[in-house]
Each structure stands twice: as structure tokens, then as C-alpha cells.
Amino acid sequence: MVEEIFTDLAPLAEKNNIALESTGDAVMTGSDTLIYRLLYNLTENAIRYNRFDGTVNITVTHKDNQLVITVADTGYGIPEQYRESIFQPFFRVDKS
């Protein structure tokens, strides 16, 4: 599924010269639609708010009988004063 998401988001990534990388091969059972939407949204944001020539990496691993999915990027991050607010519906950090 990660490769499918990378394919779907490749035009956006190429526009900003963002490298898409993945590691791991763990399997998860659940709603394909919901899992796809979750990973797509996180990956799209990681691309959209990254720096030019950046990287997005999705890692899927097993740890203590749990599946761990990590989406990491080389973007500038969210300023500390906004980190709690990002969980509010419709909140966005000022793009400047």
C-alpha cells in the first residue's frame, strides 16, 4: 500500500524534488480504505510542507507484538507553541 501511495503522490513529490523512501514489510489487517486515507494524508502533508530537495520516509515495523508505522520528513517541523493545537479540527499553522 505504501508503494501505491508513493505512486499516487509522485507528481507532487517530483514538483518539489522530494525523495520518497520506505522500509519494512509488516502486514496489518483492517479497512484498506481507512488505512490508505491515513497514510495518504500523512504522506501528502509530509511532501507538501517539506523543503525543496527533501525526503519522506515511511517505516513499517513490528515492536512488542504491535505494528508501528512512522512517517518522517526533512521539513521544518511545527513550532513548539502550535504542537498542541494541531489536534484541533481545521487548525493550520501559519505558512509564513
Side-chain angles (χ1 to χ4, degrees), residues 39-96:
L39 291 175
Y40 184 96
N41 185 282
L42 291 172
T43 306
E44 181 183 34
N45 285 343
I47 294 168
R48 192 173 303 279
Y49 299 106
N50 208 328
R51 61 180 170 78
F52 189 81
D53 285 335
T55 303
V56 173
N57 188 315
I58 298 179
T59 304
V60 183
T61 58
H62 282 283
K63 183 177 181 182
D64 300 327
N65 292 326
Q66 294 182 344
L67 182 74
V68 178
I69 301 171
T70 305
V71 179
D73 64 64
T74 54
Y76 301 105
I78 298 171
E80 189 171 340
Q81 69 264 29
Y82 298 119
R83 291 188 186 155
E84 290 298 318
S85 300
I86 63 169
F87 299 106
Q88 297 173 9
F90 309 111
F91 178 81
R92 287 192 177 215
V93 175
D94 181 7
K95 288 186 179 185
S96 63

Side-chain angles (χ1 to χ4, degrees), residues 1-26:
M1 186 177 291
V2 171
E3 292 304 320
E4 181 180 343
I5 290 166
F6 282 175
T7 299
D8 293 344
L9 289 171
L12 179 62
E14 290 170 4
K15 178 181 172 185
N16 293 315
N17 204 35
I18 304 292
L20 303 175
E21 303 171 350
S22 67
T23 55
D25 59 356

